[in-house]
Amino acid sequence: MTDQLHEPQLALHVEDLTVSYDGKPALWDIDIDVPPGVMAAIVGPNGAGKSTFIKSVLGLVKPTAGHVTIFGRPYGTQRRKVGYVPQRSSVDWDFPTTALDVVTMGLYGRLGWLRRPGRAERETALRALEQVKMQDFATRQISQLSGGQQQRVFLARALVQDADIYFLDEPMAGVDATTERAVVAILHRLREEGKTLIVVHHDLQTVKSYFDWMVILNVRPIAQGRVSEVYTADNLRRAYGGQIALIEREAFGADAANAAGSGEHG
Amino acid sequence: MLDLLSDYTIQTVAMGAALLGVSSGVLGCFAVLRRQSLLGDTLSHAALPGVCLGFLVAGTRDLGSILAGALVTGAAAALVVLALTRLSRLKTDAALGVALSVSFALGVVLLTYIQGTGNASQGGLNSFLFGQAAAILRSDLWIMGGIAAASLALVAALWKEFKLVSFDPGFATSLGLPVVVIEITMTVMVALAVVIGLQMVGVVLMTAMIVAPAVAARQWTRRLGSMVVLSAVFGTVAGVAGATLSATARGLSTGPLIVLAISAIVFVSLLLSPERGLLWEMARRWRDRRSLRGRQVLTTLHAMAAEHGDRSYPAELGSLDTYHGTDTRRVLARLEQRGLVRPVTHAPETTPHWELTPSGHVEARRLAADIEGHQ
Ligand SMILES: Nc1ncnc2c1ncn2[C@@H]1O[C@H](COP(=O)(O)OP(=O)(O)OP(=O)(O)O)[C@@H](O)[C@H]1O
Ligand SMILES: [Mg+2]
């Protein structure tokens, strides 16, 4: 092989990435590095380009400039190592199919052209549904699932991809506390298995307890690194600007309450 | 009837209609699921200039060149739509509308030009507007059958890719599928279905053959596979019924008859299908309302009994009616059947009174606990 590894020690390496829609930049000259084995939160206000970031890494939107490598190689050659959970609202849940069938779609990449999913694929998909505690809904029409259940089906579809690095777009949006705990438990287990997780997350209150790595984004990268170093009022103020009064109450008010409750100081 | 079926023309017509029904039924499913119903409309109207160009080039009413022309202009219209949405700020529906009207206008101009030239064989071209089953020849069936077989084989071979790209194109892209190529393939196949139906249904109504069988089939099934099969069946039934009618009853045009037949199937499906049908929906709502009413009356009786500290407190029907703002007599009768309430008299009043039975009290307490559990 003559190919040169570019930053192979990084799970995700993004350099000079610029993406624009209709000439308006959604991401501007982004450099982001994520080491392997961390669970990284991508936070930022609405319209900050978080979804765009994931989509451009995965090749769903074409960047105007820059390049991306995953474990040192371009995305195109690393697809088998990447799992993806799109925003739940990005598909039509009235599509005539079952939960099991959706999960099986995670195996289509590995199956290749012309081959149909058989019994082995079915077994794999069922096991993934079990992991997200959805085995009883395997044959359920997807339109008859609740939002949280749909989210777990999407997660199961990513699990069967058996990837090394996962990209998840708001996997905790619109799910209740129980489902959120279940999702986080699965993500933590994946991290313990050494996988890298990159998660768009909208709830600043829980960033500190769920994640160990963090990227703050608002068209430009504001800050990135260990949560303990990056999660500061100053950084959040720079990302969220005008909404800061609200953000501070959300992000630090709850912290203060936690600290008072448990006697911890973070 | 047997006589009818052995008639050579009618056999030809029925086979053509069946080919049309199968192919447009199958290919229409993907268009409908991808919310591209309007695409079928644009492609079929865009076929008209192609029909005319094919005729002008061949100089006769040769089906092969006419269909080839239709396919070319249909594909060109699809490309124009793609370019308009990518390069301008037009939304897809607007771009489809523009392409539809421009190409249909172009087609009508060409058609009138051909008629003006007085070419003897132009007589048949009009039939491409609304379809004319009787004009179909045995040799045409081979062309139609070949196109249908090719597109169905493609659907079978690329089944899982078509399904994934229709459901979640973003995820398909992340897996490395050539999503744009697959989307173009699906669009071209809709154009093929249009081409098959041109002679039978005509460009104006062809879109109904793409959309209607899929919409009807969607009502009855939960899986893509059965939806596609059912859609093919519906398309075939409507096609054969309409085409046979028009071939027997002289003077009735084929396209409109076929479209009326498939519309009837759609109507029945929207109305009667389980779970998604209108009647089903109404019945479910009615049942919900009925059981809600029953629970409300039980809870009220329970509360009144508690308030008066009397487990067999007789509540007057009139006060129950007033409290619920509706006639509760039938609700009470149903509750009585379930053994939850019983009618009592309460002298000296002569009006009907009701009280909870012991099991009624149990049920009311269970309901109250349920509601608290949800809060
Ligand atoms: N397909 C598109 N066409 C045009 N503009 C787009 C498109 N997708 C996103 N944008 C714009 O790009 C910017 C970034 O969008 P993006 O969806 O990446 O934000 P986000 O951070 O994910 O926001 P949210 O928190 O609301 O999900 C926004 O201003 C948005 O309006
Ligand atoms: Mg987003």
Side-chain angles (χ1 to χ4, degrees):
Chain A
M1 291 285 272
T2 54
D3 64 343
Q4 284 280 306
L5 288 184
H6 183 67
E7 306 282 2
Q9 75 284 7
L10 292 170
L12 173 68
H13 168 69
V14 175
E15 206 172 304
D16 302 337
L17 183 74
T18 297
V19 180
S20 56
Y21 296 109
D22 307 326
K24 210 174 114 274
L27 293 173
W28 176 252
D29 196 20
I30 301 260
D31 294 321
I32 286 174
D33 291 325
V34 179
V38 301
M39 180 160 147
I42 299 186
V43 302
N46 289 133
K50 305 181 294 291
S51 298
T52 303
F53 174 69
I54 287 194
K55 285 183 187 163
S56 56
V57 168
L58 298 182
L60 272 55
V61 300
K62 289 272 162 288
T64 18
H67 70 258
V68 175
T69 58
I70 287 174
F71 298 110
R73 289 204 177 85
Y75 176 69
T77 64
Q78 300 283 65
R79 287 188 206 282
R80 291 294 119 74
K81 294 190 180 162
V82 177
Y84 176 39
V85 178
Q87 236 166 320
R88 179 160 52 89
S89 56
S90 66
V91 304
D92 171 17
W93 289 94
D94 201 29
F95 196 88
T97 188
T98 60
L100 184 68
D101 203 33
V102 171
V103 177
T104 313
M105 290 175 187
L107 297 164
Y108 284 6
R110 215 174 311 157
L111 269 174
W113 297 94
L114 299 182
R115 278 187 51 210
R116 297 208 167 196
R119 181 172 307 160
E121 283 73 27
R122 204 184 135 81
E123 293 292 311
T124 312
L126 271 175
R127 269 200 305 280
L129 276 176
E130 258 164 51
Q131 286 184 48
V132 298
K133 302 203 169 55
M134 285 285 294
Q135 64 274 26
D136 296 342
F137 298 89
T139 57
R140 184 76 77 88
Q141 163 88 30
I142 55 171
S143 62
Q144 292 170 353
L145 299 173
S146 74
Q149 292 167 340
Q150 292 171 347
Q151 193 66 62
R152 281 192 268 177
V153 168
F154 258 15
L155 192 58
R157 182 175 70 173
L159 289 178
V160 301
Q161 291 188 277
D162 193 22
D164 293 331
I165 179 168
Y166 284 95
F167 292 86
L168 302 94
D169 201 345
E170 306 214 19
M172 268 87 98
V175 306
D176 64 14
T178 323
T179 306
E180 178 159 331
R181 270 197 302 279
V183 169
V184 170
I186 290 165
L187 298 185
H188 282 168
R189 206 181 59 231
L190 288 172
R191 179 177 60 186
E192 272 148 35
E193 291 169 11
K195 319 257 183 193
T196 311
L197 297 131
I198 295 178
V199 185
V200 174
H201 194 64
H202 60 282
D203 183 8
L204 286 172
Q205 284 186 48
T206 49
V207 169
K208 280 181 114 167
S209 49
Y210 292 168
F211 296 89
D212 48 8
W213 197 270
M214 183 176 185
V215 174
I216 308 180
L217 198 67
N218 191 356
V219 186
R220 304 228 24 164
I222 306 294
Q224 53 183 315
R226 303 228 146 260
V227 170
S228 51
E229 290 152 23
V230 171
Y231 193 92
T232 63
D234 191 39
N235 280 339
L236 292 175
R237 196 174 296 123
R238 277 165 60 212
Y240 287 83
Q243 311 162 30
I244 192 62
L246 181 77
I247 296 306
E248 281 191 336
R249 193 153 22 85
E250 222 185 72
F252 295 95
D255 252 23
N258 282 346
S262 60
E264 273 179 15
H265 293 277
Chain B
M1 189 69 203
L2 272 178
D3 232 30
L4 261 179
L5 286 179
S6 56
D7 182 290
Y8 188 78
T9 319
I10 292 182
Q11 273 180 3
T12 311
V13 166
M15 279 192 272
L19 284 173
L20 160 68
V22 169
S23 50
S24 64
V26 169
L27 302 177
C29 284
F30 295 99
V32 165
L33 289 174
R34 290 166 63 223
R35 303 184 179 280
Q36 297 225 313
S37 310
L38 204 52
L39 181 71
D41 209 9
T42 303
L43 290 183
S44 52
H45 282 81
L48 188 60
V51 167
C52 297
L53 287 176
F55 175 84
L56 285 174
V57 170
T60 63
R61 195 177 174 284
D62 166 52
L63 191 68
S65 36
I66 282 177
L67 294 191
L71 193 58
V72 167
T73 49
L79 282 181
V80 166
V81 169
L82 206 66
L84 279 179
T85 46
R86 287 278 157 96
L87 304 177
S88 78
R89 287 181 169 274
L90 274 189
K91 295 269 174 290
T92 307
D93 57 342
L96 284 168
V98 169
L100 183 153
S101 17
V102 169
S103 49
F104 190 59
L106 209 63
V108 172
V109 167
L110 282 173
L111 193 63
T112 44
Y113 166 76
I114 292 172
Q115 283 168 342
T117 61
N119 187 329
S121 57
Q122 58 85 15
L125 277 198
N126 265 338
S127 68
F128 285 101
L129 271 182
F130 291 109
Q132 189 179 4
I136 293 179
L137 307 172
R138 262 296 148 99
S139 57
D140 296 347
L141 287 185
W142 287 107
I143 299 178
M144 292 168 69
I147 299 174
S151 48
L152 292 188
L154 207 57
V155 171
L158 298 180
W159 177 259
K160 72 179 193 305
E161 284 78 14
F162 282 178
K163 178 163 67 178
L164 180 54
V165 169
S166 303
F167 173 62
D168 192 348
F171 187 74
T173 310
S174 83
L175 291 183
L177 286 184
V179 171
V180 176
V181 175
I182 293 174
E183 281 180 339
I184 289 176
T185 310
M186 288 197 272
T187 303
V188 168
M189 291 196 326
V190 172
L192 285 176
V194 167
V195 159
I196 294 175
L198 273 186
Q199 247 190 325
M200 192 76 72
V201 179
V203 298
V204 177
L205 294 173
M206 187 52 212
T207 181
M209 283 311 286
I210 304 279
V211 177
V215 167
R218 177 69 190 94
Q219 290 293 109
W220 301 93
T221 66
R222 314 164 150 216
R223 285 167 163 276
L224 184 59
S226 40
M227 174 179 169
V228 164
V229 170
L230 203 59
S231 179
V233 170
F234 286 162
T236 309
V237 168
V240 172
T244 318
L245 265 181
S246 108
T248 47
R250 295 280 154 216
L252 295 184
S253 37
T254 322
L257 279 177
I258 294 183
V259 169
L260 284 181
I262 191 64
S263 304
I265 296 179
V266 170
F267 181 73
V268 169
S269 303
L270 289 179
L271 207 60
L272 296 183
S273 64
E275 285 181 26
R276 302 173 67 91
L278 218 58
L279 283 185
W280 185 277
E281 181 68 23
M282 275 163 63
R284 181 165 47 207
R285 225 175 280 163
W286 183 71
R287 265 199 317 271
D288 285 354
R289 206 161 37 212
R290 214 173 73 163
S291 83
L292 178 68
R293 214 32 78 61
R295 285 190 303 236
Q296 283 170 337
V297 170
L298 268 189
T299 314
T300 312
L301 282 171
H302 189 64
M304 286 170 98
E307 214 164 279
H308 289 82
D310 174 7
R311 281 180 62 82
S312 50
Y313 172 78
E316 192 174 352
L317 179 64
S319 68
L320 285 173
D321 284 356
T322 315
Y323 184 81
H324 291 284
T326 165
D327 187 358
T328 55
R329 209 170 336 192
R330 297 215 337 247
V331 182
L332 286 162
R334 274 198 308 276
L335 291 172
E336 186 188 3
Q337 267 175 19
R338 291 167 60 196
L340 301 177
V341 299
R342 63 173 159 249
V344 287
T345 48
H346 186 55
E349 290 158 39
T350 53
T351 48
H353 284 66
W354 293 81
E355 68 173 32
L356 284 176
T357 63
S359 54
H361 278 287
V362 172
E363 177 69 10
R365 265 197 303 276
R366 199 183 60 75
L367 288 173
D370 253 17
I371 291 170
E372 265 167 32
H374 275 293
Q375 275 166 354

